[in-house]
Amino acid sequence: MSLSERADKERSLQHGANIADACRKCQIGYERRHNVYGEGNPCADLLLVGEGPGETEDLMGRPFVGRAGQLLEKMLESIGFAREDVYICNTVKCRPTSPGERGPKNRAPDPTEMANCRPYLDEQIEIIRPRVILALGAPAAKSFLGRDFQITKQRGCWYTGPHGIDLMVTFHPAYVLRQTGGELTQVKRLVWNDLKAVRDKLQEPPKQPPAPEITQAELF
Ligand code: SF4
């Protein structure tokens, strides 16, 4: 990809980030500290999509920077990727919270918030055009594959995402961090299998776009 194509993508993503920053379609748009649009390589082959910003992400304005982010970086390293190689974003750009005893606590985005925010995610996919999308956790998976998606039964398979892009689902790093003992070992093994499948998919030759149809008159 040429430098000018990369610069075009960067400009388009920055434009999208500016629009999302001014967005107040949901109540959480008024409550968040920062709009967490996404970051990374605008020409990435691999796009990671989580559910929504947590407390640290909201504070810093960057996706996956807390403990889950550190684990995500280790997961990426295990298949030979640095954070800078991929693009990372979420299904919603503002932190979803509910009232807690010690202040707002994280919650999963609700269907209305995900629907409101979907155009920003679609635009990111359209600009980046990755070869593989890795959805992290059930909310991200459901945003692509429907509300009935069951992560424990249906993760680890290939699906067709937007624009025909290959889509894999694995557990969210925050879910992995909540496991202990034998459960932790088992979940880590499943995530490792999913990541290996992503690595292998990215080592395949890129899909060729379908050849344009030729009419008989154009043949000779
Ligand atoms: S979550 Fe998305 S749609 Fe809702 S206010 Fe934030 S940027 Fe806008």
Side-chain angles (χ1 to χ4, degrees):
M1 183 159 297
S2 72
L3 282 176
S4 77
E5 279 173 293
R6 185 185 173 102
D8 282 348
K9 283 176 181 256
E10 269 167 2
R11 256 194 306 277
S12 300
L13 288 168
Q14 187 55 54
H15 180 68
N18 294 344
I19 293 174
D21 193 38
C23 178
R24 299 290 186 275
K25 275 192 258 179
C26 324
Q27 182 59 31
I28 54 174
Y30 293 94
E31 295 165 356
R32 50 90 173 158
R33 291 189 185 94
H34 287 102
N35 185 283
V36 184
Y37 180 72
E39 66 179 29
N41 179 356
C43 310
D45 282 338
L46 178 57
L47 172 69
L48 275 66
V49 183
E51 61 179 64
E55 186 176 11
T56 315
E57 288 76 19
D58 180 51
L59 198 60
M60 312 269 292
R62 296 180 56 209
F64 284 93
V65 285
R67 283 183 65 221
Q70 288 165 9
L71 178 58
L72 181 67
E73 287 176 22
K74 281 191 190 166
M75 285 162 57
L76 286 170
E77 273 170 29
S78 75
I79 53 166
F81 281 89
R83 186 181 171 105
E84 308 75 60
D85 296 330
V86 304
Y87 194 91
I88 307 175
C89 63
N90 284 301
T91 57
V92 294
K93 313 305 184 196
C94 301
R95 180 191 176 201
T97 58
S98 51
E101 279 177 18
R102 285 175 289 170
K105 58 177 187 184
N106 294 342
R107 63 165 169 81
D110 68 32
T112 305
E113 290 159 349
M114 294 214 304
N116 285 348
C117 217
R118 185 57 195 242
Y120 301 120
L121 176 59
D122 284 338
E123 189 180 40
Q124 288 170 309
I125 295 168
E126 176 74 41
I127 296 166
I128 298 163
R129 288 291 183 135
R131 289 180 56 200
V132 169
I133 296 173
L134 179 61
L136 300 165
K142 288 178 185 193
S143 81
F144 290 111
L145 299 168
R147 281 197 206 177
D148 294 336
F149 187 86
Q150 291 182 286
I151 191 161
T152 48
K153 293 186 184 155
Q154 294 174 284
R155 49 137 286 286
C157 307
W158 285 108
Y159 297 93
T160 301
H163 306 291
I165 296 168
D166 289 313
L167 172 74
M168 167 68 73
V169 177
T170 196
F171 292 113
H172 193 286
Y175 173 80
V176 179
L177 287 171
R178 288 197 295 273
Q179 309 306 307
T180 54
E183 288 288 311
L184 176 62
T185 309
Q186 196 187 352
V187 168
K188 275 188 171 177
R189 190 174 297 128
L190 294 173
V191 171
W192 170 233
N193 288 339
D194 300 342
L195 292 170
K196 275 194 299 183
V198 167
R199 181 194 62 194
D200 293 348
K201 180 67 76 179
L202 288 169
Q203 284 172 352
E204 292 173 8
K207 281 184 198 162
Q208 296 298 322
E213 273 196 22
I214 303 173
T215 63
Q216 196 169 359
E218 289 171 322
L219 276 175
F220 303 101

